[in-house]
Amino acid sequence: MPNSVGKRFKPTKYIPVSTAATLLVGSTTLFFVFTCPWLTKAISPGVPLYNGVVFLFVLANFSMATFMDPGVFPRAEEDEDKDDDFRAPLYKNVEIKGIQVRMKWCATCHFYRPPRCSHCSVCDNCVEDFDHHCPWVNNCIGRRNYRYFFLFLLSLSIHMVGVFSFGLLFVLHHMERLGTLHTTITLVVMCIAGLFFIPVMGLTGFHMVLVARGRTTNEQVTGKFRGGVNPFTQGCCGNIKYVLCAPLVPRYTGVDPRKKPPVSIQPPFIRPDISDRQISIKVSDNGIHTSILRSKSKISLDGLALDDKGLDTQPPLPPKADRYNQLKSQLTSSKDSSLTGKTHPSTPAMYKYRPSFGTIPKVHYNAAGEKIVMPDDHRKASAILEEGRCHVDYRSEPNLDLPDYHNAPLHRTFQSSPLQLDSYLINSRSLSLKQAHQRRDKGQLPTLQPETATSTPYKSVFSPNTLSNRNGSLSYDSLLNPSISPATEAECMAHPGMPSMGFHTPYLPTKMCHVRGPELQSQRQQVPPSFSPMLGSRGIGMSMSRQSPLDRDPSPVRYDNLSKTIMASIQERKEMEEKEKLLLHHAGHSQAQAYNQAQDSGMFDSPTPPAYGGSRDNLMGVVSYGPRTPVLRSSGGSSLVRAPRTSSSSLHTDSSMQGGRASEPSYRSPAHQPHHSPAMPQSPSYTHQKLSFIHALERTDSPRLGGPREAMMQSKVNGQTDCHLGPNSSSAQGNPLSPSRHSNVKKVTGVGGTTYEISV
Amino acid sequence: MERAGTHGEMTLTGEKRDWTHSLQDMRQQAAIAAKVFIQRDYTNGTVCQFQTKFPSELETRIDKQQFEETVRTLNNLYAEAEKLGGSSYLEGCLACLTAYTIFLCMETHYEKVLKKIAKFIQEQNDKIYAPRGLLLTDPIERGLRVVEVTIFEDRSLGR
């Protein structure tokens, strides 16, 4: 018995198919030899002819079912699965005709199994439209050969009925000579047919029902659509037509690598033109050189629900591993954002974090014309310009400057696009883009002239992206303060201190950063800008705040599979918090608490039930608890604060939603935690709080908070780090919290334990 | 030894020349910078459709309209391949009648369209994508799961 390295010759797996083949061919042959001659004479020659045709049909279908490739997917190549393998969530959600379908990651084949695909353990392959593995034909039944299998069953049933009835006819006519050879053999054949009649007919009937319902055996047996709607059905007639008349799909495996003439690709390459109408935005390096990790963004399933989830392939982040190794964390966030795009929206960007930039090739953008062209809106553009000018300097830290970049202060010009969100997104994008390149030393002010730049892609990208971004990152959107008016935003824009950071803290999901945006913005409004940009988060906050007025759909981001380490760290933090709280309670130190909370907010904290449609909201509650304390303004908030995790949405009292969900009762399972992180505050107060979270250490702004004491007390009372006050309190107050002005360096702990120093 | 040395030198030079020459060849062809994967769009079920969303990595390389046009055409071609029309029905009947032996000689409708798609992709690569430093890979090579877009390094700009 040959024993190859991979596959061993297993005779046992051929037993059922051999038995089936033997029985089928043997019995029918016997029937033809012994029974048919008499039948031909007694009834008509049409009998053997009919039986012959049926038998031929049975054989043909049997052979096709046995030997035809059922629709095996070839293994994914290495470069395709690089993003997905490490730390990839196990499931991706996809919406098919309005119904959420889960796609599972196949560890053997290295891709997310398409809907209806399943991995056959016997064949060790993923099979498209997997029905079942049939031992009688020793083959999987899948998309390509289901029809033949079904026809085999049908024809076999008919054949068995025919053989049995004609045999019975023969026997009945030869009752007196039952002992003769012919009769005996006919009886034997009849017995075989009768014996297998029930199972075969049963199976045939079962598959007839399946075909009519448009289900596979796998789906039926696992009860996938039990009581639910089958998104794959096309109606009874449609299903039957599909099974019987659909064109035969060619096989995927063994496809010869198309002997096509090699395409020679040599630089220089053509670059897309930017239309004149668009104003280019120059983005120069902001000094925070995060290696923008460019994920091989699979424009993933997120794209399936394009409008909802956005965040796919958001800021393109070409990795510069060689340079930015130290900026891993930052990179992660950008990677997260891009990865988020890549994964289904339900996957939190958070745990797509993979600082494996060494392996990711760099994407080189055309540095020459690297400008982001925004849809022109001169009026706003000028505002943005000014703003851009002003806040050039806030990039101070962390000082990760690399030699290439320090010479090019990054200027970001924002232009409000028709979708206000766009500008933020563009900013972040431009930033990320810029960072990716050798920044030209364009320390100058951004220009408004329409220059050729990569505006077109941006523009077009942004529109859908913003939407998607909005949705995706934003289930935060719902969290974001809807009350942020465009005017406010514009204001924010004009703020010199507005962080134009496009990148996200590595450890915070993009969404999180986005969530922060509104907070920051609101804070900013009140406090003179000159924030040093919080790494990424503010910028993102910016975009978030922009987005907030826009409609938001809760994005079904799920953080089911937050990595264990993150979960562990979250748990640690929680414990820390609790301890801190106790300490605070004694010491009466709000600051420490705030600090802890702030730290904690960096982590995905216990989820709070989302008030707005998104699991992210939970995170909001969680995150906000940190910043909340400092921002507690009114005593009214305290009552809200009281609502500890237990009460969810009841907390938010005011329209600006705060994510008040402060409530999430107990620490949910880690799987849920990541949900919360993105649930950043929606209301300006949240934004505000986020900011304060950043400044948590500072607490210098208590006066403006109008009651940090209260916050403190409340936080003490709550004893729960998540959602204590924060949005609740702020919402109670109804006025946006003014961000404290911090001139000193703040340490902010991001998710994953990274500490950032932000100078405000 | 001298001979060997001389010989070695000569050989070395020869090898060096070859090596240099091949190096030059290598330099001629651009290096792969990254790959983008266009995933399937399952919103309409399991029909073969690809997402038309423009990936951000390609923003600086190609026009969005162009790219979307390519993907839309691909989608239309696949829809045509999978259409449950008269031709596919006839094909099925004919195959049944001939006990599927017809598959040995005739090309199915889907295969014909796949050839058309391969030609289309080749043409798109030659005309549009290669000059921009991109390369589309026929999704059939990946089991119709993804369209792989390879982005090549743009060395001319020193990046």
Side-chain angles (χ1 to χ4, degrees):
Chain A
M1 204 162 300
N3 266 351
S4 61
V5 178
K7 309 219 163 166
R8 307 185 61 163
F9 179 65
K10 282 188 231 155
T12 49
K13 73 174 184 176
Y14 295 103
I15 291 175
V17 63
S18 323
T19 311
T22 309
L23 278 174
L24 177 68
V25 175
S27 310
T28 312
T29 311
L30 287 175
F31 171 81
F32 277 119
V33 166
F34 292 95
T35 316
C36 279
W38 181 84
L39 287 168
T40 314
K41 282 180 298 189
I43 303 175
S44 90
V47 168
L49 188 67
Y50 161 79
N51 280 298
V53 167
V54 171
F55 179 60
L56 195 63
F57 201 59
V58 171
L59 269 189
N61 285 305
F62 179 72
S63 313
M64 290 295 261
T66 305
F67 299 115
M68 178 166 270
D69 183 315
V72 170
F73 282 114
R75 301 272 198 270
E77 292 188 5
E78 272 185 18
D79 47 13
E80 183 185 342
D81 73 349
K82 240 193 271 195
D83 291 335
D84 282 333
D85 233 357
F86 179 48
R87 284 219 203 180
L90 193 58
Y91 293 101
K92 254 197 215 183
N93 267 353
V94 128
E95 181 154 318
I96 299 180
K97 292 183 183 165
I99 297 161
Q100 290 281 325
V101 172
R102 222 168 51 163
M103 302 200 330
K104 192 173 176 184
W105 170 260
C106 185
T108 316
C109 306
H110 301 297
F111 52 77
Y112 282 97
R113 294 181 196 146
R116 301 195 114 177
C117 163
S118 189
H119 190 93
C120 175
S121 52
V122 180
C123 309
D124 196 25
N125 280 315
C126 267
V127 175
E128 189 176 10
D129 284 6
F130 180 76
D131 193 84
H132 67 284
H133 180 92
C134 184
W136 305 105
V137 297
N138 190 34
N139 196 13
C140 279
I141 308 298
R143 180 181 181 186
R144 295 183 77 233
N145 62 356
Y146 183 75
R147 181 192 330 169
Y148 306 115
F149 176 76
F150 181 64
L151 289 175
F152 166 66
L153 283 179
L154 277 178
S155 53
L156 185 63
S157 305
I158 295 170
H159 181 61
M160 284 168 86
V161 167
V163 164
F164 188 85
S165 6
F166 287 117
L168 188 65
L169 202 63
F170 180 94
V171 165
L172 287 175
H173 277 266
H174 294 80
M175 284 294 268
E176 62 284 2
R177 291 176 292 170
L178 278 177
T180 59
L181 181 68
H182 288 244
T183 319
T184 314
I185 290 180
T186 307
L187 273 174
V188 167
V189 168
M190 272 176 66
C191 283
I192 294 173
L195 189 69
F196 286 97
F197 200 71
I198 306 287
V200 171
M201 286 296 277
L203 197 60
T204 307
F206 175 66
H207 276 275
M208 281 166 80
V209 170
L210 286 185
V211 165
R213 283 180 163 181
R215 292 187 192 179
T216 65
T217 305
N218 186 265
E219 287 164 356
Q220 177 71 28
V221 163
T222 56
K224 278 198 181 124
F225 306 125
R226 196 183 311 149
V229 186
N230 181 359
F232 305 107
T233 184
Q234 300 160 50
C236 182
C237 290
N239 293 332
I240 295 171
K241 249 184 13 173
Y242 177 75
V243 167
L244 297 179
C245 312
L248 177 62
V249 184
R251 42 192 306 187
Y252 302 136
T253 53
V255 168
D256 63 336
R258 308 298 159 103
K259 311 284 186 255
K260 40 186 183 228
V263 183
S264 86
I265 298 191
Q266 297 191 11
F269 297 134
I270 303 171
R271 294 287 179 171
D273 290 336
I274 311 294
S275 75
D276 287 344
R277 289 206 60 244
Q278 289 170 334
I279 297 167
S280 65
I281 294 179
K282 262 198 205 176
V283 178
S284 47
D285 192 347
N286 68 352
I288 298 180
H289 304 294
T290 311
S291 34
I292 298 190
L293 184 62
R294 181 200 177 281
S295 62
K296 270 181 312 214
S297 65
K298 296 185 187 187
I299 305 191
S300 62
L301 299 183
D302 281 355
L304 292 182
L306 275 183
D307 290 331
D308 299 329
K309 323 280 164 139
L311 213 68
D312 350 65
T313 66
Q314 292 304 308
L317 308 169
K320 298 251 180 192
D322 54 345
R323 287 186 186 159
Y324 297 102
N325 279 330
Q326 56 273 59
L327 302 175
K328 268 187 198 186
S329 55
Q330 289 174 346
L331 194 135
T332 312
S333 64
S334 14
K335 188 176 178 30
D336 281 348
S337 51
S338 51
L339 284 177
T340 333
K342 169 171 136 58
T343 58
H344 185 84
S346 64
T347 308
M350 184 60 184
Y351 57 102
K352 291 297 282 192
Y353 163 54
R354 264 198 289 270
S356 54
F357 15 126
T359 55
I360 298 184
K362 305 192 274 187
V363 170
H364 297 281
Y365 292 97
N366 186 354
E370 194 56 35
K371 294 199 187 100
I372 297 166
V373 176
M374 307 296 304
D376 61 346
D377 185 349
H378 295 272
R379 177 179 53 81
K380 289 184 181 175
S382 44
I384 296 172
L385 275 181
E386 310 214 317
E387 163 192 323
R389 275 189 221 110
C390 300
H391 62 251
V392 167
D393 35 316
Y394 64 82
R395 14 223 108 164
S396 35
E397 39 221 298
N399 193 9
L400 300 168
D401 277 9
L402 293 176
D404 304 328
Y405 291 86
H406 56 250
N407 58 353
L410 186 62
H411 291 265
R412 199 103 27 100
T413 314
F414 297 94
Q415 297 192 5
S416 57
S417 57
L419 285 175
Q420 294 194 342
L421 177 62
D422 285 352
S423 49
Y424 283 100
L425 289 177
I426 291 171
N427 293 335
S428 16
R429 250 183 237 206
S430 54
L431 175 61
S432 49
L433 272 182
K434 274 307 186 188
Q435 289 174 343
H437 311 301
Q438 295 278 347
R439 307 251 198 263
R440 300 275 193 60
D441 193 353
K442 305 233 166 114
Q444 323 66 19
L445 300 174
T447 67
L448 270 181
Q449 330 146 25
E451 307 174 18
T452 49
T454 55
S455 59
T456 314
Y458 265 86
K459 187 178 190 168
S460 48
V461 170
F462 276 116
S463 321
N465 282 344
T466 49
L467 281 179
S468 55
N469 210 357
R470 222 176 298 138
N471 289 337
S473 50
L474 330 179
S475 25
Y476 307 79
D477 269 339
S478 54
L479 299 176
L480 288 178
N481 181 14
S483 61
I484 291 181
S485 63
T488 304
E489 290 189 356
E491 239 182 338
C492 295
M493 290 274 278
H495 255 301
M498 173 154 327
S500 52
M501 204 83 31
F503 47 172
H504 321 288
T505 50
Y507 287 98
L508 292 172
T510 308
K511 301 185 175 126
M512 185 129 177
C513 302
H514 281 279
V515 175
R516 291 197 175 182
E519 286 188 337
L520 295 174
Q521 290 224 332
S522 60
Q523 284 179 340
R524 215 166 292 111
Q525 293 159 29
Q526 302 168 6
V527 179
S530 75
F531 285 150
S532 61
M534 178 158 60
L535 294 180
S537 56
R538 289 189 205 181
I540 298 177
M542 297 283 289
S543 31
M544 292 308 290
S545 51
R546 281 251 161 197
Q547 296 165 1
S548 39
L550 301 170
D551 70 295
R552 348 206 134 110
D553 308 333
S555 91
V557 168
R558 292 188 331 200
Y559 301 86
D560 294 324
N561 309 329
L562 195 61
S563 80
K564 286 203 174 101
T565 45
I566 293 178
M567 288 289 111
S569 53
I570 291 172
Q571 290 187 2
E572 277 173 36
R573 289 206 182 206
K574 293 198 63 111
E575 287 161 10
M576 255 175 47
E577 283 174 12
E578 315 254 327
K579 287 184 204 158
E580 284 292 346
K581 264 190 304 199
L582 290 176
L583 282 177
L584 286 173
H585 182 74
H586 299 309
H589 240 290
S590 59
Q591 214 163 14
Q593 186 172 9
Y595 180 68
N596 288 335
Q597 291 173 352
Q599 297 202 328
D600 220 339
S601 45
M603 309 289 298
F604 296 122
D605 207 321
S606 58
T608 51
Y612 292 77
S615 52
R616 300 208 200 117
D617 291 353
N618 292 343
L619 184 60
M620 265 201 352
V622 174
V623 179
S624 48
Y625 81 91
R628 278 189 233 177
T629 42
V631 293
L632 282 185
R633 296 284 198 115
S634 64
S635 44
S638 54
S639 53
L640 287 177
V641 177
R642 280 318 146 89
R645 313 177 171 194
T646 45
S647 62
S648 24
S649 350
S650 53
L651 283 186
H652 48 274
T653 53
D654 79 16
S655 53
S656 64
M657 151 72 199
Q658 49 283 338
R661 343 269 168 108
S663 45
E664 178 56 29
S666 40
Y667 175 73
R668 283 231 192 125
S669 65
H672 287 289
Q673 294 204 348
H675 281 273
H676 311 313
S677 49
M680 290 322 279
Q682 316 166 1
S683 56
S685 57
Y686 263 92
T687 318
H688 187 47
Q689 287 154 8
K690 286 302 161 206
L691 192 57
S692 56
F693 147 73
I694 297 167
H695 319 310
L697 294 180
E698 302 262 335
R699 295 302 196 121
T700 53
D701 48 334
S702 25
R704 82 177 148 78
L705 293 182
R709 298 270 171 235
E710 294 171 28
M712 273 172 25
M713 288 201 293
Q714 285 163 358
S715 51
K716 284 186 227 162
V717 170
N718 280 349
Q720 290 178 349
T721 52
D722 50 333
C723 56
H724 324 224
L725 320 172
N728 299 330
S729 52
S730 48
S731 57
Q733 302 163 14
N735 38 353
L737 302 164
S738 55
S740 56
R741 203 168 297 211
H742 307 275
S743 47
N744 29 359
V745 175
K746 292 197 203 323
K747 288 199 177 174
V748 177
T749 309
V751 172
T754 312
T755 306
Y756 304 99
E757 293 186 1
I758 302 168
S759 66
V760 180
Chain B
M1 287 314 283
E2 288 177 348
R3 270 179 66 202
T6 318
H7 180 69
E9 278 171 2
M10 283 171 57
T11 314
L12 252 179
T13 316
E15 283 166 356
K16 226 195 267 183
R17 255 186 269 122
D18 294 339
W19 179 67
T20 318
H21 181 62
S22 62
L23 264 188
Q24 280 169 354
D25 286 345
M26 278 165 53
R27 262 176 271 137
Q28 290 300 323
Q29 190 69 339
I32 295 176
K35 286 191 180 185
V36 185
F37 295 95
I38 317 292
Q39 297 285 334
R40 282 270 296 269
D41 177 9
Y42 292 110
T43 48
N44 286 325
T46 48
V47 281
C48 184
Q49 299 281 290
F50 289 95
Q51 295 179 7
T52 52
K53 192 174 161 304
F54 187 60
S56 48
E57 290 86 348
L58 299 180
E59 271 157 21
T60 58
R61 295 297 197 113
I62 191 166
D63 285 336
K64 180 179 191 242
Q65 282 76 21
Q66 194 117 61
F67 173 81
E68 284 183 358
E69 172 75 29
T70 306
V71 180
R72 263 192 224 112
T73 313
L74 264 185
N75 285 344
N76 289 338
L77 284 170
Y78 281 115
E80 180 198 331
E82 293 184 351
K83 200 161 67 96
L84 262 68
S87 65
S88 67
Y89 179 69
L90 280 174
E91 213 175 65
C93 281
L94 195 63
C96 248
L97 292 175
T98 62
Y100 309 114
T101 52
I102 199 153
F103 290 138
L104 296 169
C105 18
M106 198 182 81
E107 210 176 48
T108 67
H109 169 68
Y110 208 111
E111 280 170 353
K112 287 192 194 117
V113 180
L114 277 187
K115 283 218 175 110
K116 218 164 48 156
I117 289 172
K119 212 161 65 97
F120 169 74
I121 288 181
Q122 174 74 15
E123 175 209 354
Q124 289 278 299
N125 272 336
D126 284 337
K127 291 200 189 136
I128 298 170
Y129 288 86
R132 288 170 171 74
L134 300 172
L135 189 68
L136 289 179
T137 306
D138 198 335
I140 193 71
E141 294 173 24
R142 298 271 184 271
L144 291 185
R145 287 183 300 107
V146 287
V147 176
E148 183 184 316
V149 183
T150 315
I151 302 175
F152 287 91
E153 246 179 26
D154 202 351
R155 279 200 224 108
S156 62
L157 300 175
R159 302 221 173 262

